[in-house]
Amino acid sequence: MNHAERYEHLVNKMAAIRCRGGDLDASYHAALFLMASHPALFEKMDRYLCPEGISFDKMMRKEEFDYDWMKITADAAYNLFSWNSKCAATPFEISRMPAPAIRALFTACFIANGDCMVSIRENDKGEKEFEIDDSAGKRREAFNLQMEQMMETPGMEPD
């Protein structure tokens, strides 16, 4: 299974067992995207999906991680999911992660913030791959730039 297939599996499983029904919010998508980024993390995550959500507390207590970067990834996924868990990773530690893990972490941050949406599509060879729509983030950037330009115009300062 590749990253996209693992992510699709986790999203579908979580949606199927979730007791509240409805679509998963950005926090779920960010955490599941991040935890699907590596087969070992995927296997751990698959065991801790439950009707109430994701049992990160239990996973972080019970599981051991093969590498420090895997623990950092799980810790970051927990934080993106719960918003208030402590994420112990420092920028220095994050900078020492393998490049694919850093890319997944940054993408998950954009997913959690609503700056991009992730969907799965099949390529020409029939393999599943990600389609990332970053139009919401681009609209937000354009709006912020427009606001900055307005604020720089004389007479447009806030009171």
Side-chain angles (χ1 to χ4, degrees):
M1 255 194 236
N2 66 23
H3 186 186
E5 292 167 329
R6 292 187 299 265
Y7 169 76
E8 183 178 52
H9 170 83
L10 292 175
V11 167
N12 290 339
K13 184 175 178 180
M14 187 73 253
I17 65 173
R18 198 160 168 238
C19 63
R20 286 174 268 158
D23 291 334
L24 302 177
D25 65 24
S27 298
Y28 277 96
H29 286 281
L32 297 176
F33 179 87
L34 200 46
M35 293 301 289
S37 66
H38 190 274
L41 294 171
F42 164 76
E43 287 179 23
K44 292 177 189 321
M45 176 73 357
D46 198 33
R47 292 191 293 264
Y48 293 96
L49 301 181
C50 62
E52 295 79 32
I54 303 172
S55 298
F56 271 106
D57 278 335
K58 191 183 290 185
M59 181 181 71
M60 299 305 278
R61 278 193 318 269
K62 290 186 173 191
E63 296 290 335
E64 291 188 24
F65 297 90
D66 297 336
Y67 301 99
D68 289 343
W69 67 265
M70 287 183 171
K71 171 82 166 80
I72 292 168
T73 301
D75 201 28
Y78 184 16
N79 184 262
L80 290 172
F81 176 71
S82 69
W83 304 352
N84 61 3
S85 67
K86 299 291 183 207
C87 187
T90 66
F92 178 80
E93 291 169 322
I94 292 170
S95 74
R96 298 305 184 252
M97 294 170 66
I102 293 173
R103 279 192 293 276
L105 178 58
F106 287 151
T107 302
C109 289
F110 289 124
I111 293 168
N113 195 40
D115 287 333
C116 70
M117 300 281 295
V118 176
S119 57
I120 306 295
R121 68 178 184 94
E122 285 191 15
N123 64 18
D124 305 356
K125 299 173 187 172
E127 301 166 333
K128 295 198 177 188
E129 63 183 20
F130 288 111
E131 187 167 2
I132 298 179
D133 176 7
D134 63 350
S135 59
K138 287 181 180 178
R139 282 192 304 275
R140 186 185 337 262
E141 282 180 35
F143 176 78
N144 288 339
L145 180 61
Q146 187 178 20
M147 292 303 291
E148 285 177 22
Q149 290 171 345
M150 282 177 46
M151 297 307 288
E152 291 174 0
T153 304
M156 297 298 287
E157 295 87 16
D159 294 329

